[in-house]
Amino acid sequence: MKNGFIFEAFDFLIRKILFRLNLVEIFKLVAIRAVKGGNQADTYAAANVAIDIYQIFKWLVLVLFWCMSSKSTVELYIISYFLATNTFTYFFYEVWGSNHKRQDNQESRNRRFLNTCLSISYHFLCYAYLYQIHFYTQITWPDNIIDTFNAVYLSVTTGLTLTYSGFSPNTQFIRMVFLSELINTFIFITIIITNTIPSQKVIRR
């Protein structure tokens, strides 16, 4: 335990448990095994296709649930899972380190940028869905208008500033949900800023 037992415990939790509970990793594993025996380029391509399929899948699930306007607890848990793994995936690969070699060229950087935009958009829209469909009774809405625009507006303003003019949380639970969105948004923004600043090596003369 050269890094101490606290780090080892968290590393085990992240790599051995949370990582394996992430659905996108199952998509990638299936795709990579399908091209088993191929070269590294085939492996990268298979993983990228799996990620794209997973992206489409989770977006379709969100849109479907939103259109159905169902208040089922199962749907609440599913979207909450997607929200949690959305943040975890970005944190794992951009901060904690995956131990997997990744490509570092302009195309891969552009792809990571696109995935980041999709992840942040999904993050805000998931919270908007929760506010409008599942938690709307715990929020005072401006002019009592509960619609998609107001839900998205509430999600974005809560995540970026924790100010929600015209809205008011009515329960302690919804305040905790607001706070969770602020924290998750902070994680995204912190990671983006960190990865934007180039690392420089100190050259000793």
Side-chain angles (χ1 to χ4, degrees):
M1 291 189 178
K2 64 178 181 179
N3 293 311
F5 66 89
I6 294 179
F7 170 82
E8 296 293 341
F10 272 92
D11 192 59
F12 179 84
L13 173 65
I14 291 171
R15 295 186 187 279
K16 302 301 183 181
I17 299 178
L18 298 180
F19 176 80
R20 294 178 180 179
L21 293 175
N22 197 352
L23 188 58
V24 67
E25 301 303 332
I26 299 176
F27 275 66
K28 288 165 60 178
L29 180 62
V30 172
I32 291 172
R33 286 187 175 179
V35 296
K36 189 175 182 180
N39 55 32
Q40 192 176 55
D42 293 333
T43 301
Y44 279 130
N48 287 336
V49 170
I51 293 171
D52 288 348
I53 293 174
Y54 176 75
Q55 290 269 24
I56 294 172
F57 169 72
K58 71 177 186 179
W59 276 94
L60 286 177
V61 170
L62 175 61
V63 172
L64 177 63
F65 286 177
W66 213 331
C67 291
M68 291 171 56
S69 298
S70 173
K71 301 171 182 62
S72 167
T73 304
V74 174
E75 294 171 4
L76 171 62
Y77 287 154
I78 290 174
I79 295 301
S80 298
Y81 168 82
F82 281 139
L83 251 178
T85 54
N86 185 57
T87 304
F88 173 79
T89 300
Y90 203 65
F91 164 79
F92 181 77
Y93 283 99
E94 301 297 335
V95 177
W96 201 259
S98 65
N99 290 335
H100 293 292
K101 184 178 180 182
R102 68 182 184 183
Q103 293 176 308
D104 189 19
N105 52 48
Q106 190 59 48
E107 285 187 355
S108 63
R109 286 192 291 270
N110 291 345
R111 179 181 174 81
R112 289 198 295 273
F113 172 75
L114 176 60
N115 285 336
T116 300
C117 293
L118 288 173
S119 293
I120 294 176
S121 300
Y122 191 79
H123 163 83
F124 283 126
L125 290 179
C126 277
Y127 273 103
Y129 160 80
L130 293 177
Y131 296 148
Q132 182 182 357
I133 304 301
H134 292 277
F135 304 143
Y136 67 96
T137 59
Q138 302 182 47
I139 303 170
T140 298
W141 298 74
D143 301 322
N144 290 322
I145 299 176
I146 305 172
D147 59 8
T148 303
F149 177 82
N150 273 339
V152 173
Y153 175 82
L154 173 60
S155 176
V156 174
T157 54
T158 300
L160 294 178
T161 63
L162 197 60
T163 58
Y164 24 85
S165 177
F167 300 87
S168 177
N170 298 329
T171 65
Q172 192 69 10
F173 174 79
I174 199 64
R175 291 187 183 93
M176 292 174 62
V177 176
F178 285 177
L179 183 60
S180 73
E181 182 179 7
L182 180 65
I183 292 173
N184 284 329
T185 306
F186 175 78
I187 292 173
F188 270 115
I189 293 176
T190 301
I191 294 172
I192 291 172
I193 293 175
T194 301
N195 290 335
T196 300
I197 301 174
S199 59
Q200 297 180 354
K201 295 182 179 180
V202 177
I203 302 176
R204 295 182 178 180
R205 296 182 178 180

